[in-house]
Amino acid sequence: MKLRILYHGHCFDGVASATVFTRFYKSRVNREADVEYTSLLHRPGSLFDAEMFDGDENAIVDFKYSTSDHLTWWFDHHQSAFLTSEDEAHFHRDQSGKKFLDTTRKSCTEFIADVAHSRFGFQDESLDPLIHWAHIIDGALYDSPAQCVELAAPALQLMQVIESDPDDQFIEQIIRSLVARPLDEVAKSDEVQHRFRPILARHHETLETIRRKASYANGVVTFDLVDEGLEGFNKFIPYYLYPQTIYSVALTRGRHRTKISVGSNPWSPRPRTHNIASICERYGGGGHAVVGAVSFAPDEVERGRTTVREIIAELSKGLD
């Protein structure tokens, strides 16, 4: 019997969610299941292909809802959990007792663990460090910007590898390792540290690039990394460099998309007044109240730049 788990790719919470769901499923549903994984990324247009749901049972964790008849399990915690109102209505009609949403949760990992415990009697204390760090990382509950930019904790080093390494097969290997071994052991392993060292060097270079490229005005720090060829960055760098900012808006481009990343500073001296997910939804994106993103096609850079300007104008309104 095959279980297919589709998870939010290159995301610590997505990887941790897939890990916790695997442990729960093999403990309470089918110990002999053959588990396969598929990484999902937000992209323009359809997010799912029919052939993705090729398991006897199929689960989506930490990602948008699908109306596929072959979807068995679903867990999410994003405000923008549904592509359309019809998808949301489909979810509310579901009577399987295997599809769950709670937008108040800081991490999907914690949500899965709580549902697995309360509904299905599953609890595994060896997963507590993974659940704890997913809560901190996805909830942006760090002690300071320095904690998540300087990357001293092994869990944060693993986070950086998950977010930065383009090899989906290696990310799947991390999930399988976390299913079998403690978080710290996986994070400190030779294979993870071997990949982390060059990522850390690039991280320092990216920090300096953003320091050079970023500008701040009216409560918003912004930067465009398209010409630098940087597909991603540590999302707390803007607050490390500009502790006075309320929001950050950045543009990047990779092989599959032009991406606008919008965030709010957890340590801002002034309160956030905008729901970022709601802003991003108007451009086809989504996320949480405190962080979100919009994806366009790779060749839609100018559309992205226009959208960045519009989002900055909205976030800056009424600020000085």
Side-chain angles (χ1 to χ4, degrees):
M1 180 267 180
K2 182 166 87 170
L3 168 67
R4 170 69 65 182
I5 300 178
L6 301 97
Y7 67 97
H8 188 184
H10 300 282
C11 167
F12 188 93
D13 192 32
V15 165
S17 293
T19 301
V20 171
F21 184 80
T22 301
R23 286 266 199 104
F24 152 68
Y25 189 92
K26 289 181 76 71
S27 174
R28 287 291 183 267
V29 182
N30 188 334
R31 187 175 299 274
E32 304 303 320
D34 178 22
V35 185
E36 299 292 338
Y37 301 95
T38 297
S39 170
L40 295 171
L41 290 176
H42 296 286
R43 62 186 184 185
S46 175
L47 297 175
F48 305 102
D49 302 318
E51 57 268 22
M52 289 179 173
F53 302 99
D54 63 352
D56 299 292
E57 290 204 326
N58 301 282
I60 295 174
V61 295
D62 195 37
F63 206 77
K64 287 183 185 286
Y65 184 75
S66 169
T67 59
S68 170
D69 292 338
H70 300 289
L71 179 63
T72 318
W73 298 84
W74 178 67
F75 290 85
D76 197 24
H77 69 129
H78 294 91
Q79 175 183 319
S80 309
F82 305 102
L83 283 170
T84 66
S85 57
E86 290 79 11
D87 288 0
E88 184 173 6
H90 186 279
F91 164 71
H92 288 299
R93 290 194 302 270
D94 184 83
Q95 300 296 314
S96 69
K98 296 179 179 179
K99 297 173 184 176
F100 305 92
L101 172 69
D102 186 346
T103 60
T104 69
R105 297 303 185 115
K106 296 297 185 184
S107 77
C108 193
T109 304
E110 178 188 56
F111 180 39
I112 293 170
D114 286 352
V115 171
H117 181 232
S118 63
R119 298 285 189 97
F120 302 96
F122 170 78
Q123 188 168 14
D124 185 339
E125 292 182 357
S126 69
L127 291 169
D128 287 352
L130 183 64
I131 296 166
H132 168 76
W133 275 105
H135 180 77
I136 289 175
I137 290 168
D138 223 49
L141 300 174
Y142 300 101
D143 296 334
S144 67
Q147 183 185 18
C148 44
V149 172
E150 295 173 3
L151 301 173
L156 298 180
Q157 296 172 8
L158 179 62
M159 171 200 73
Q160 201 69 25
V161 171
I162 290 168
E163 291 184 356
S164 304
D165 196 300
D167 186 349
D168 285 343
Q169 290 186 333
F170 182 69
I171 306 304
E172 178 178 327
Q173 181 182 324
I174 289 175
I175 297 172
R176 295 188 183 279
S177 296
L178 289 169
V179 169
R181 297 154 57 194
L183 170 62
D184 260 19
E185 184 179 320
V186 174
K188 295 176 181 178
S189 66
D190 290 342
E191 57 266 34
V192 169
Q193 289 298 314
H194 173 72
R195 299 204 180 208
F196 173 67
R197 284 189 288 273
I199 288 171
L200 181 63
R202 290 196 300 272
H203 168 65
H204 289 153
E205 293 172 1
T206 300
L207 172 63
E208 294 309 313
T209 299
I210 293 175
R211 191 193 303 273
R212 175 173 52 86
K213 293 277 293 189
S215 61
Y216 170 80
N218 298 328
V220 182
V221 60
T222 184
F223 46 95
D224 183 327
L225 301 178
V226 170
D227 293 340
E228 283 68 28
L230 293 173
E231 187 170 351
F233 60 93
N234 182 308
K235 62 188 176 183
F236 296 98
I237 289 175
Y239 317 129
Y240 183 74
L241 297 176
Y242 292 89
Q244 75 274 32
T245 195
I246 305 172
Y247 303 105
S248 66
V249 184
L251 187 70
T252 55
R253 180 173 64 174
R255 290 176 299 161
H256 304 295
R257 60 180 172 173
T258 297
K259 181 181 179 182
I260 301 166
S261 301
V262 188
S264 57
N265 183 358
W267 308 276
S268 171
R270 291 182 285 178
R272 173 184 58 84
T273 56
H274 293 273
N275 184 312
I276 290 174
S278 297
I279 293 173
C280 292
E281 285 170 3
R282 295 204 296 272
Y283 299 96
H288 300 287
V290 298
V291 65
V294 179
S295 295
F296 295 138
D299 61 353
E300 293 185 299
V301 171
E302 291 310 314
R303 182 185 178 193
R305 286 174 172 153
T306 298
T307 303
V308 163
R309 289 192 291 271
E310 293 174 0
I311 291 174
I312 291 171
E314 181 167 355
L315 293 175
S316 300
K317 194 172 182 180
L319 299 174
D320 52 33

